[in-house]
């Protein structure tokens, strides 16, 4: 499935069979007033959609809260949008709440994170039965922008948030336990650029654009950042792990400063020996996305300059060999 946020709606495309090549859609799912859409899916295949909603006009401060909806079966209608509230007690502070990010652990617990007006990071969790916990404060006052969240195959949740002089990190010591502050990371992420991916069992690597150098950096909490080069634009990086030529590898994707889709490949957690960059020469709008299809093949998705959804899929061959781009 592919979800795309447009004005007042979410568009959804669905593969007719695992691995394609044919698709149905787009289906139009109403999303009135929803902005900054994020999508998270767990092992139970439920798809959670979350967005930021602004209400109010005139002289009153706007009221901002989070909305969420769930798709329980592939290709089926989603639930109606419901409010997940916000962590602020005063309405006038809600306008400065950030956009949500979300992840689902193997137990089906949805984790929703937002930055607050005071630079805090707030967490709200919903369990597999749909019961929401109260908002939890992750005890910082320096977060500047949307965090990056990832879940390891072990079930542990990791989080990284950009700050003025570096990056803040959190991790879980035990499954389902509160997140605890980890080591601060001595690199300043470009806001909105960071992503997290599990690169070995239980270990999450964050990939981001370094504000100071303008290049791409890979880092694991407790380790020194590793510059990996590149010429990224101002968007978010995409990352996944897969097996290429018999070796576990990390695959990266971003939109470069010239507006083209660029891929990167390296052995997992071996960024110090270099990343092999592939300029696809394909222009796009916004950030490209990476996924694995039903056969475990790498899929790259993006929006072309004319607004069409385009896709390229891994083919047989050495390394990462992509087939032709096609419109969905």
């Amino acid at each position: 499935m592919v979800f795309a946020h447009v004005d007042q709606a979410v568009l959804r495309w669905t593969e007719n069979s695992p691995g394609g090549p044919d698709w149905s859609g787009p289906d139009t799912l109403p999303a009135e007033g929803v902005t900054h859409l994020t999508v998270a899916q767990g092992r139970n295949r439920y798809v959670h959609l979350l967005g930021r909603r602004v209400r109010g006009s005139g002289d009153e401060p706007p009221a901002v809260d989070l909305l969420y909806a769930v798709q329980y079966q592939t290709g089926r209608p989603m639930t109606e949008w419901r409010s997940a509230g916000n962590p602020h007690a005063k309405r006038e502070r809600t306008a400065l709440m950030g956009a949500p990010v979300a992840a689902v652990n193997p137990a089906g617990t949805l984790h929703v994170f937002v930055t607050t007006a005071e630079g805090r990071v707030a967490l709200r969790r919903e369990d597999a039965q749909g019961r929401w916990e109260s908002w939890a404060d992750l005890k910082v006052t320096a977060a500047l922008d949307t965090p990056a969240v990832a879940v390891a195959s072990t079930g542990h949740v990791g989080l990284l948030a950009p700050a003025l002089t570096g990056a803040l990190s959190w991790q879980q010591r035990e499954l389902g336990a509160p997140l605890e502050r980890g080591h601060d990371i001595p690199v300043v992420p470009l806001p909105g650029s960071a992503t997290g991916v599990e690169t070995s069992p239980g270990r999450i690597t964050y990939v981001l654009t370094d504000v100071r150098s303008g290049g791409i950096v890979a880092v694991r909490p407790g380790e020194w950042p590793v510059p990996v080069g590149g010429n990224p634009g101002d968007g978010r990086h995409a990352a996944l792990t897969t097996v290429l030529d018999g070796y576990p590898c990390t695959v990266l994707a971003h939109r470069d400063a010239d507006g083209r889709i660029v891929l990167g490949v390296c052995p997992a957690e071996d960024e110090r020996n270099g990343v092999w960059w592939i300029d696809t020469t394909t222009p796009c709008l916004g950030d490209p996305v990476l996924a694995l299809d039903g056969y475990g093949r790498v899929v790259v998705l993006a929006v072309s300059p004319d607004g069409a959804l385009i896709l390229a899929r891994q083919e047989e061959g050495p390394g990462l060999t992509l087939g032709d781009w096609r419109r969905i």
Side-chain angles (χ1 to χ4, degrees), residues 199 205 218-220 226-228 250 266-275:
T199 46
T205 297
V219 65
R220 286 168 284 279
V226 180
V228 298
T250 304
C266 70
E269 300 192 1
D270 194 21
E271 303 91 357
R272 292 186 186 280
N273 285 323
V275 173

Side-chain angles (χ1 to χ4, degrees), residues 48 68 70 72 82-84 107-112 124-135:
H48 303 264
Y68 79 105
V70 185
Y72 291 109
R82 299 181 177 91
S83 175
T109 302
L110 172 67
H111 295 65
V112 181
R124 196 171 194 195
R125 302 195 298 190
E126 182 198 42
D127 66 21
Q129 285 71 47
R131 297 184 293 257
W132 284 104
E133 298 178 358
S134 299
W135 286 98

Side-chain angles (χ1 to χ4, degrees), residues 4-11 28-37 81:
H5 183 229
V6 297
D7 186 33
Q8 306 298 317
V10 175
L11 303 181
T28 301
L29 311 175
E32 185 176 356
V34 175
T35 63
H36 301 93
L37 181 74
W81 291 95

Side-chain angles (χ1 to χ4, degrees), residues 222-238:
E223 300 183 9
W224 287 104
V226 180
V228 298
N231 181 32
D234 59 1
R236 180 176 181 269
H237 298 279

Side-chain angles (χ1 to χ4, degrees), residues 55-99:
R55 292 177 295 171
S57 59
D59 296 332
E60 288 291 321
V64 178
D65 62 351
L66 300 181
L67 291 185
Y68 79 105
V70 185
Q71 176 191 278
Y72 291 109
Q73 290 182 295
T74 300
R76 301 296 296 168
M78 67 181 186
T79 65
E80 65 180 12
W81 291 95
R82 299 181 177 91
S83 175
N86 70 75
H88 293 89
K90 297 181 179 180
R91 173 173 173 151
E92 60 268 22
R93 307 298 286 169
T94 67
L96 298 176
M97 181 179 68

Side-chain angles (χ1 to χ4, degrees), residues 20-312:
D22 297 323
W23 294 71
S24 60
D27 301 316
T28 301
L29 311 175
E32 185 176 356
V34 175
T35 63
H36 301 93
L37 181 74
T38 187
V39 178
Q41 186 174 30
R43 291 182 183 177
N44 57 12
R45 313 307 297 169
Y46 296 171
V47 178
H48 303 264
L49 295 88
L50 294 110
R52 186 177 184 271
R53 176 177 63 177
V54 180
R55 292 177 295 171
S57 59
D59 296 332
E60 288 291 321
V64 178
D65 62 351
L66 300 181
L67 291 185
Y68 79 105
V70 185
Q71 176 191 278
Y72 291 109
Q73 290 182 295
T74 300
R76 301 296 296 168
M78 67 181 186
T79 65
E80 65 180 12
W81 291 95
R82 299 181 177 91
S83 175
N86 70 75
H88 293 89
K90 297 181 179 180
R91 173 173 173 151
E92 60 268 22
R93 307 298 286 169
T94 67
L96 298 176
M97 181 179 68
V101 294
V104 184
N105 72 7
T109 302
L110 172 67
H111 295 65
V112 181
F113 300 90
V114 294
T115 52
T116 72
E118 300 81 15
R120 299 181 182 275
V121 177
L123 161 66
R124 196 171 194 195
R125 302 195 298 190
E126 182 198 42
D127 66 21
Q129 285 71 47
R131 297 184 293 257
W132 284 104
E133 298 178 358
S134 299
W135 286 98
D137 184 356
L138 297 191
K139 307 297 183 183
V140 296
T141 57
L144 293 180
D145 197 72
T146 305
V149 59
V151 180
S153 58
T154 57
H156 295 80
V157 177
L159 187 75
L160 179 141
L164 191 61
T165 58
L168 315 173
S169 71
W170 291 261
Q171 47 211 329
Q172 287 178 316
R173 293 184 184 274
E174 303 291 340
L175 297 181
L179 274 77
E180 299 180 13
R181 276 294 306 276
H183 296 281
D184 290 348
I185 297 171
V187 62
V188 180
L190 180 71
S193 68
T195 194
V197 60
E198 184 183 39
T199 46
S200 64
R203 281 166 55 88
I204 294 171
T205 297
Y206 295 98
V207 181
L208 53 92
T209 300
D210 177 10
V211 166
R212 296 188 180 100
S213 69
I216 302 169
V217 169
V219 65
R220 286 168 284 279
E223 300 183 9
W224 287 104
V226 180
V228 298
N231 181 32
D234 59 1
R236 180 176 181 269
H237 298 279
L240 58 74
T241 53
T242 189
V243 175
L244 299 174
D245 301 331
Y247 297 96
C249 290
T250 304
V251 179
L252 308 175
H254 64 266
R255 181 176 180 264
D256 74 3
D258 297 317
R260 298 190 299 261
I261 300 169
V262 175
L263 305 181
V265 179
C266 70
E269 300 192 1
D270 194 21
E271 303 91 357
R272 292 186 186 280
N273 285 323
V275 173
W276 176 45
W277 294 107
I278 309 163
D279 184 352
T280 69
T281 72
T282 301
C284 72
L285 298 176
D287 305 326
V289 175
L290 292 173
L292 297 176
D293 71 10
Y295 295 105
R297 297 174 296 188
V298 175
V299 179
V300 188
L301 298 109
V303 177
S304 68
D306 64 358
L309 188 64
I310 57 174
L311 173 152

